């Protein structure tokens, strides 16, 4: 059956073969969902309320938390709808919009991690000029640049989805919509949609991670030139949280394509789990990492909740 992408709904998929356990699985996802909302929401509230955190580093951290919230709010409603209510149908427009926001927010997160690396590079390698380089207007411009790059770059492959004809099964392999999943169902020339994402991944994920790696090589070189051991440890400690977030994000980014490329014999359930790890693990771990590893955030959270408890 042939149908236009703008008129025919798609069917989402939970965990095939485990339908009887979907309600129990949904409880796990609900716990992760609430943890992500609570953790990132707390970070945003803390940075907004604590004037000591009104610095470039924490501005980028608030962007990271907001992006993680956006990514989770984009994916989890349909996941819980499938697992909890067995509501599998999704309209084509809603599906393509979901795919757009999932992919664009992933690219935005990569850009924010790059901006945070730039912040740490200036703070350690050129500390005397930190405040003069990262002035408020420049920080805002960097933030806007990251958002524009992420949201504009994903438009070209998403727009054709609305006009493609779909003659294959309308069943998707996930409980949310991804560009690469939808494009497999199209009966049209999808050459551009096959090649453009590869170029985009190279120019964003690969290039961002390479620049972050180079920045930390330069940071490490600067830190090793510091005579005092205490000063070296203090300088490196300001980078630990960011390094952990970078590793969490890019390990997930690299792991998903690798399992798809080389895990042909691996169970489909493993592929599904990896896709959920990719979208849920960084948003879950980022606030935990910063709460544990960053003294200002840890003290701020304790003060925030202590004050709230006393106030009530």
């Amino acid at each position: 059956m042939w149908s236009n992408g703008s008129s025919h709904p798609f069917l989402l998929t939970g965990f095939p073969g485990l339908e009887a356990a979907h309600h129990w699985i949904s409880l796990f996802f609900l716990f992760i969902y609430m943890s992500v909302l609570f953790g990132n929401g707390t970070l945003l509230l803390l940075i907004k309320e604590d004037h000591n955190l009104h610095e470039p580093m924490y501005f980028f951290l608030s962007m990271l938390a907001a992006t993680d919230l956006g990514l989770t709010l984009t994916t989890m409603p349909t996941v819980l709808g499938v697992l909890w209510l067995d509501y599998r149908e999704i309209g084509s427009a809603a599906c393509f919009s979901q795919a757009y926001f999932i992919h664009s927010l992933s690219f935005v997160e990569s850009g924010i991690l790059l901006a945070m690396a730039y912040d740490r590079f200036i703070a350690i390698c050129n500390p005397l000029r930190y405040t003069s380089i990262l002035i408020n207007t420049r920080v805002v411009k960097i933030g806007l640049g990251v958002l524009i790059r992420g949201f504009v770059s994903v438009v070209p492959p998403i727009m054709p989805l609305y006009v493609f004809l779909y003659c294959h099964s309308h069943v998707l392999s996930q409980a949310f919509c991804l560009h690469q999943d939808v494009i497999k169902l199209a009966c049209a020339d999808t050459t551009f949609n096959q090649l453009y994402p590869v170029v985009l991944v190279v120019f964003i994920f690969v290039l961002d991670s390479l620049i972050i790696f180079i920045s930390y090589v330069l940071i490490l070189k600067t830190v090793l030139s510091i005579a005092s051991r205490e000063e070296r440890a203090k300088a490196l400690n300001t980078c630990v949280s960011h390094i952990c977030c970078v590793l969490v994000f890019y390990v997930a980014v690299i792991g998903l394509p690798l399992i798809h490329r080389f895990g042909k014999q691996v169970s489909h359930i493993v592929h599904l789990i990896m896709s959920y790890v990719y979208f849920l693990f960084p948003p879950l771990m980022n606030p935990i990492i910063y709460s544990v590893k960053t003294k200002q955030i840890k003290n701020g959270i304790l003060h925030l909740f202590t004050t709230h408890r006393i106030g009530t």
Side-chain angles (χ1 to χ4, degrees):
M1 178 180 178
W2 289 68
S3 62
N4 187 277
S6 62
S7 61
H8 201 289
F10 292 90
L11 292 178
L12 302 170
T13 301
F15 289 86
L18 298 176
E19 287 82 3
H22 272 185
H23 282 82
W24 295 107
I25 296 172
S26 70
L27 293 178
F28 170 75
F29 278 102
L30 181 62
F31 173 76
I32 299 296
Y33 189 28
M34 299 307 295
S35 298
V36 170
L37 295 181
F38 176 77
N40 289 284
T42 301
L43 273 184
L44 287 173
L45 178 63
L46 175 63
I47 294 170
K48 176 181 178 292
E49 297 294 330
D50 192 341
H51 291 280
N52 294 322
L53 301 180
H54 292 182
E55 300 176 4
M57 172 182 173
Y58 300 107
F59 171 78
F60 293 132
L61 177 57
S62 66
M63 285 188 65
L64 184 67
T67 301
D68 284 338
L69 276 177
L71 192 57
T72 306
L73 289 169
T74 300
T75 56
M76 287 307 295
T78 56
V79 173
L80 291 175
V82 171
L83 297 177
W84 211 340
L85 306 173
D86 196 30
Y87 188 79
R88 297 180 57 200
E89 188 173 293
I90 182 171
S92 55
C95 181
F96 304 151
S97 297
Q98 185 182 48
Y100 169 75
F101 282 107
I102 287 175
H103 293 297
S104 58
L105 287 170
S106 297
F107 290 133
V108 167
E109 180 147 354
S110 180
I112 295 170
L113 291 173
L114 177 60
M116 295 173 82
Y118 175 67
D119 171 84
R120 291 300 84 203
F121 173 77
I122 299 298
I124 293 175
C125 298
N126 205 345
L128 298 179
R129 296 189 58 208
Y130 179 79
T131 54
S132 62
I133 292 175
L134 286 176
I135 58 177
N136 289 339
T137 54
R138 185 165 293 157
V139 170
V140 171
K141 287 178 181 177
I142 292 173
L144 288 174
V146 167
L147 292 174
I148 291 170
R149 185 189 72 163
F151 284 109
V152 172
S153 62
V154 180
V155 171
I158 295 295
M159 291 305 293
L161 299 182
Y162 287 89
V163 296
F164 281 159
L165 294 174
Y166 299 89
C167 59
H168 300 301
S169 166
H170 284 68
V171 179
L172 301 172
S173 64
Q174 311 276 356
F176 47 83
C177 296
L178 296 175
H179 169 267
Q180 60 266 34
D181 208 6
V182 174
I183 206 67
K184 293 176 183 177
L185 308 179
C187 295
D189 183 2
T190 60
T191 303
F192 173 79
N193 284 68
Q194 298 287 351
L195 295 179
Y196 182 87
V198 175
V199 175
L200 205 57
V201 166
V202 170
F203 276 95
I204 293 184
F205 285 150
V206 175
L207 195 58
D208 285 0
S209 59
L210 181 60
I211 295 173
I212 291 172
F213 175 76
I214 292 172
S215 70
Y216 271 105
V217 169
L218 297 174
I219 286 172
L220 185 60
K221 183 180 177 182
T222 301
V223 168
L224 292 177
S225 67
I226 299 174
S228 169
R229 179 180 296 178
E230 291 76 15
E231 289 297 318
R232 287 202 299 267
K234 183 179 178 181
L236 283 176
N237 192 55
T238 65
C239 300
V240 170
S241 299
H242 178 251
I243 292 172
C244 291
C245 289
V246 168
L247 291 175
V248 165
F249 179 74
Y250 284 108
V251 165
V253 164
I254 293 169
L256 185 60
L258 285 179
I259 199 73
H260 279 295
R261 177 67 179 84
F262 300 106
K264 302 295 185 183
Q265 306 303 318
V266 177
S267 168
H268 179 61
I269 297 297
V270 175
H271 289 262
L272 286 176
I273 291 172
M274 281 300 300
S275 67
Y276 289 114
V277 167
Y278 171 71
F279 291 112
L280 293 177
F281 191 58
L284 175 67
M285 292 304 300
N286 288 342
I288 295 174
I289 290 169
Y290 270 92
S291 299
V292 172
K293 292 294 185 180
T294 306
K295 185 178 179 181
Q296 294 93 325
I297 295 291
K298 186 193 303 183
N299 293 339
I301 290 174
L302 291 174
H303 176 72
L304 180 68
F305 285 106
T306 302
T307 303
H308 179 71
R309 191 187 312 169
I310 293 174
T312 55

